[in-house]
Amino acid sequence: MKIPLSRPDISQDEIKMVNKVLKTPFLSIGPMVQEFERNFAKFTGAKYAAAVSSGTAGLHLALRALNIGPGDEVITSPFSFIASANSILFQNAVPVFVDIDPVSWNIDPLKIEKAISPRTKAILPVHVFGQPCEMEAIMSIAKKHNLYVIEDACESFGAIYEDKHSGTIGDIGVFGFYPNKQITTGEGGMVITNNRELLYNVMSLRNQGRPVEGGKWLEHTQLGYNYRLDEMSAALGIAQLRRAKKILQMRQDIADLYKESIDNIEGIEILPDLPGTLRSWFVYVVKLASDVKRADVIAKLTKRGIDTGTYFPCIHLQPFYKQKFGYKEGSFPVAEQISRSTLALPFHNKLTRKEINFIADTLISILER
Ligand SMILES: *Cc1c(COP(=O)(O)O)cnc(C)c1O
């Protein structure tokens, strides 16, 4: 048996939609992007949505649109995909890391205030593995210190915090649609906000700094980028979004199956359900007990055809962060401990009960002492 870590789920509807675009003269800046944005805003409950070429591009534009610039500090999590901190560096601002909570694996609100300085402009919480951050605490700190909140919701499409969709609580929220995310457009992303001025700024910046209304095609009112989403990708997104409720339920069902089959294996801890939040399953990550050698488990699973991932190496320990900021092992002990002991198991919409049973049986045979 060969079980991949991830795999996209593309139906006939997606194929039809992309084909439809290819038969029109509009491969970029056309009706599909607008429809995808409208539908995405509706799904999340945000007032406005702007499609972009990737989640990373969306994060960059969110920071740029909020005028975060050289020397400004942005508080964020060291336990994330590198793009969340890199987007801060793109603006020559400084990522200030705050350690994570050992249960949610998200930024620990109790440690945020100590990291605030006169240069702090924003908090950039990441809803890691689809688990919403403690937004009430984060928003109240932000309000008290007059900071913006940029939600990195790239892993949390479909996740709910106190009846609100992730990404709709801060000033601006960003989603990514890389093929391993809950819904995909190949490459692509979405920025959502309730602030019209911010929306217009993001729309201008993604389109080479052209004004959103009026202006001539080759007139640029500010330094912008080409961070547009093309029409084929948007069409794919529209079709994925139509199936989103079903996709999210399939992922929940698979997570439930995993829970049933591996919850009792000694040496493995599964992610808990946290009150007031609905996790949206992005990847299936488990925590190994401290006496289990992760490299051995990975090698043995690989030998039996089961792919795994080590999400995430801490951002502050990435080579160029160490070099630039002088971080060392021990800078953020909770994040480092979680990072060392986590293991991502295969997770995608089409994973079967048989495959999950095989993974569970293999884990039992590896971990039994
Ligand atoms: C996937 C991801 C991104 C970036 O999304 P891309 O579309 O790949 O650029 C940003 N932040 C987090 C936490 C992610 O998981």
Short mmCIF file of all heavy atoms in Angstrom, two decimals, residues 27-28 36 42-43 47 63 81 114 120 133 152 176 184 190 196 207 212 220 235 240 248 254 267 349 365:
data_model
loop_
_atom_site.label_atom_id
_atom_site.label_comp_id
_atom_site.label_asym_id
_atom_site.label_seq_id
_atom_site.Cartn_x
_atom_site.Cartn_y
_atom_site.Cartn_z
N LEU A 27 -8.97 35.24 -19.65
CA LEU A 27 -8.16 34.34 -18.84
C LEU A 27 -7.67 35.03 -17.57
O LEU A 27 -7.20 34.39 -16.64
CB LEU A 27 -6.98 33.79 -19.64
CG LEU A 27 -7.34 33.10 -20.96
CD1 LEU A 27 -6.11 32.44 -21.58
CD2 LEU A 27 -8.46 32.07 -20.80
N SER A 28 -7.74 36.36 -17.56
CA SER A 28 -7.42 37.12 -16.36
C SER A 28 -8.32 38.35 -16.30
O SER A 28 -8.85 38.78 -17.33
CB SER A 28 -5.95 37.53 -16.34
OG SER A 28 -5.65 38.15 -15.11
N PHE A 36 -16.02 34.46 -7.54
CA PHE A 36 -15.33 33.74 -6.46
C PHE A 36 -15.27 34.62 -5.21
O PHE A 36 -15.54 34.17 -4.09
CB PHE A 36 -13.92 33.35 -6.94
CG PHE A 36 -13.13 32.48 -5.99
CD1 PHE A 36 -13.76 31.55 -5.15
CD2 PHE A 36 -11.74 32.59 -5.93
CE1 PHE A 36 -13.01 30.74 -4.29
CE2 PHE A 36 -11.00 31.78 -5.07
CZ PHE A 36 -11.64 30.87 -4.24
N LYS A 42 -19.54 35.67 1.10
CA LYS A 42 -20.80 35.15 1.61
C LYS A 42 -20.55 33.95 2.53
O LYS A 42 -21.12 33.85 3.61
CB LYS A 42 -21.70 34.76 0.43
CG LYS A 42 -23.12 34.58 0.84
CD LYS A 42 -24.05 34.52 -0.36
CE LYS A 42 -25.41 34.02 0.12
NZ LYS A 42 -26.08 33.20 -0.89
N PHE A 43 -19.68 33.06 2.10
CA PHE A 43 -19.42 31.84 2.88
C PHE A 43 -18.86 32.18 4.26
O PHE A 43 -19.22 31.57 5.26
CB PHE A 43 -18.46 30.92 2.13
CG PHE A 43 -18.33 29.55 2.75
CD1 PHE A 43 -19.10 28.48 2.29
CD2 PHE A 43 -17.45 29.32 3.82
CE1 PHE A 43 -19.00 27.22 2.89
CE2 PHE A 43 -17.36 28.06 4.41
CZ PHE A 43 -18.13 27.02 3.93
N LYS A 47 -17.62 41.19 4.84
CA LYS A 47 -18.25 42.14 3.92
C LYS A 47 -17.59 42.08 2.55
O LYS A 47 -18.26 42.10 1.52
CB LYS A 47 -18.09 43.55 4.48
CG LYS A 47 -19.33 44.08 5.15
CD LYS A 47 -19.21 45.60 5.31
CE LYS A 47 -20.33 46.12 6.19
NZ LYS A 47 -19.92 47.31 6.92
N LEU A 63 -0.34 43.45 5.19
CA LEU A 63 0.61 44.27 5.95
C LEU A 63 0.86 45.61 5.25
O LEU A 63 0.87 46.67 5.86
CB LEU A 63 1.93 43.51 6.14
CG LEU A 63 1.83 42.38 7.17
CD1 LEU A 63 2.73 41.23 6.82
CD2 LEU A 63 2.14 42.91 8.56
N PHE A 81 3.87 27.98 9.32
CA PHE A 81 4.56 27.94 8.04
C PHE A 81 5.31 29.27 7.88
O PHE A 81 4.82 30.32 8.30
CB PHE A 81 3.54 27.74 6.92
CG PHE A 81 4.16 27.65 5.56
CD1 PHE A 81 5.10 26.68 5.27
CD2 PHE A 81 3.80 28.56 4.57
CE1 PHE A 81 5.67 26.61 4.02
CE2 PHE A 81 4.37 28.49 3.31
CZ PHE A 81 5.31 27.52 3.04
N LYS A 114 3.83 41.25 27.16
CA LYS A 114 5.24 41.45 27.50
C LYS A 114 6.09 41.75 26.26
O LYS A 114 7.18 42.31 26.35
CB LYS A 114 5.80 40.18 28.18
CG LYS A 114 5.78 40.30 29.71
CD LYS A 114 6.46 39.09 30.35
CE LYS A 114 5.54 37.91 30.28
NZ LYS A 114 5.97 36.64 30.70
N THR A 120 5.50 48.42 18.23
CA THR A 120 4.54 47.39 17.84
C THR A 120 3.36 48.01 17.10
O THR A 120 2.76 48.96 17.58
CB THR A 120 4.03 46.62 19.08
OG1 THR A 120 5.15 46.21 19.85
CG2 THR A 120 3.22 45.41 18.67
N CYS A 133 -7.36 30.65 17.01
CA CYS A 133 -6.65 31.23 18.16
C CYS A 133 -7.68 31.77 19.16
O CYS A 133 -8.85 31.94 18.84
CB CYS A 133 -5.79 32.41 17.70
SG CYS A 133 -4.44 31.95 16.62
N ASP A 152 -3.85 35.20 10.06
CA ASP A 152 -3.39 34.24 9.06
C ASP A 152 -4.31 33.03 9.16
O ASP A 152 -4.14 32.15 10.01
CB ASP A 152 -1.93 33.84 9.28
CG ASP A 152 -1.44 32.87 8.21
OD1 ASP A 152 -2.28 32.27 7.52
OD2 ASP A 152 -0.21 32.69 8.08
N GLY A 176 -5.30 30.77 2.07
CA GLY A 176 -4.45 30.24 1.01
C GLY A 176 -5.11 29.01 0.40
O GLY A 176 -5.79 28.25 1.09
N THR A 184 -8.87 24.25 -2.82
CA THR A 184 -7.69 24.66 -3.59
C THR A 184 -8.07 25.37 -4.89
O THR A 184 -9.15 25.15 -5.46
CB THR A 184 -6.78 23.46 -3.91
OG1 THR A 184 -5.60 23.93 -4.57
CG2 THR A 184 -7.48 22.45 -4.82
N MET A 190 -7.00 34.50 -0.68
CA MET A 190 -8.10 35.45 -0.55
C MET A 190 -7.85 36.31 0.68
O MET A 190 -7.42 35.82 1.70
CB MET A 190 -9.42 34.69 -0.38
CG MET A 190 -10.67 35.51 -0.54
SD MET A 190 -11.02 36.05 -2.25
CE MET A 190 -11.74 34.59 -2.96
N ARG A 196 -13.88 48.93 3.85
CA ARG A 196 -13.89 49.19 2.41
C ARG A 196 -12.60 49.85 1.93
O ARG A 196 -12.09 49.56 0.85
CB ARG A 196 -15.10 50.07 2.08
CG ARG A 196 -15.41 50.17 0.61
CD ARG A 196 -16.59 51.12 0.42
NE ARG A 196 -16.69 51.52 -0.97
CZ ARG A 196 -17.41 50.87 -1.88
NH1 ARG A 196 -18.09 49.80 -1.53
NH2 ARG A 196 -17.47 51.28 -3.13
N ASN A 207 -2.92 44.83 -8.18
CA ASN A 207 -3.04 45.12 -9.61
C ASN A 207 -2.09 46.26 -10.01
O ASN A 207 -2.50 47.22 -10.64
CB ASN A 207 -4.50 45.45 -9.93
CG ASN A 207 -4.76 45.53 -11.43
OD1 ASN A 207 -3.99 44.99 -12.23
ND2 ASN A 207 -5.82 46.21 -11.80
N VAL A 212 -8.57 51.60 -8.12
CA VAL A 212 -9.65 50.63 -8.32
C VAL A 212 -10.74 51.20 -9.20
O VAL A 212 -11.32 50.51 -10.03
CB VAL A 212 -10.22 50.17 -6.95
CG1 VAL A 212 -11.41 49.25 -7.12
CG2 VAL A 212 -9.12 49.49 -6.14
N HIS A 220 -0.45 54.49 -12.76
CA HIS A 220 -0.21 53.80 -11.49
C HIS A 220 -0.04 54.83 -10.38
O HIS A 220 0.86 55.66 -10.45
CB HIS A 220 1.01 52.89 -11.59
CG HIS A 220 0.93 51.97 -12.78
ND1 HIS A 220 0.36 50.72 -12.69
CD2 HIS A 220 1.27 52.13 -14.09
CE1 HIS A 220 0.40 50.14 -13.89
NE2 HIS A 220 0.94 50.98 -14.75
N ALA A 235 -12.15 29.98 -11.28
CA ALA A 235 -13.22 29.05 -11.65
C ALA A 235 -13.11 27.76 -10.83
O ALA A 235 -14.11 27.21 -10.35
CB ALA A 235 -13.14 28.73 -13.14
N GLN A 240 -14.91 24.52 -6.08
CA GLN A 240 -14.53 23.96 -4.78
C GLN A 240 -15.42 24.54 -3.67
O GLN A 240 -15.86 23.82 -2.77
CB GLN A 240 -13.06 24.28 -4.48
CG GLN A 240 -12.10 23.48 -5.34
CD GLN A 240 -11.57 22.24 -4.61
OE1 GLN A 240 -10.82 22.35 -3.67
NE2 GLN A 240 -11.99 21.08 -5.06
N LEU A 248 -15.72 19.90 3.94
CA LEU A 248 -15.39 20.08 5.36
C LEU A 248 -15.95 18.92 6.20
O LEU A 248 -15.30 18.44 7.13
CB LEU A 248 -15.92 21.43 5.87
CG LEU A 248 -15.25 22.67 5.25
CD1 LEU A 248 -16.00 23.94 5.62
CD2 LEU A 248 -13.78 22.77 5.68
N ILE A 254 -13.20 11.96 8.49
CA ILE A 254 -11.91 11.27 8.46
C ILE A 254 -11.15 11.48 9.76
O ILE A 254 -10.57 10.56 10.33
CB ILE A 254 -11.09 11.71 7.22
CG1 ILE A 254 -11.76 11.16 5.96
CG2 ILE A 254 -9.65 11.21 7.30
CD1 ILE A 254 -11.36 11.84 4.69
N GLY A 267 1.70 6.33 23.58
CA GLY A 267 2.80 7.06 22.94
C GLY A 267 2.32 8.09 21.95
O GLY A 267 3.11 8.87 21.43
N ASN A 349 -9.33 14.26 1.49
CA ASN A 349 -10.76 13.93 1.42
C ASN A 349 -11.05 12.49 1.06
O ASN A 349 -12.11 11.96 1.39
CB ASN A 349 -11.45 14.81 0.36
CG ASN A 349 -11.32 16.28 0.67
OD1 ASN A 349 -10.81 16.65 1.72
ND2 ASN A 349 -11.77 17.12 -0.24
N SER A 365 2.03 -1.46 15.69
CA SER A 365 3.16 -2.40 15.61
C SER A 365 4.51 -1.69 15.83
O SER A 365 5.45 -2.26 16.37
CB SER A 365 3.16 -3.16 14.28
OG SER A 365 3.55 -2.31 13.25
#
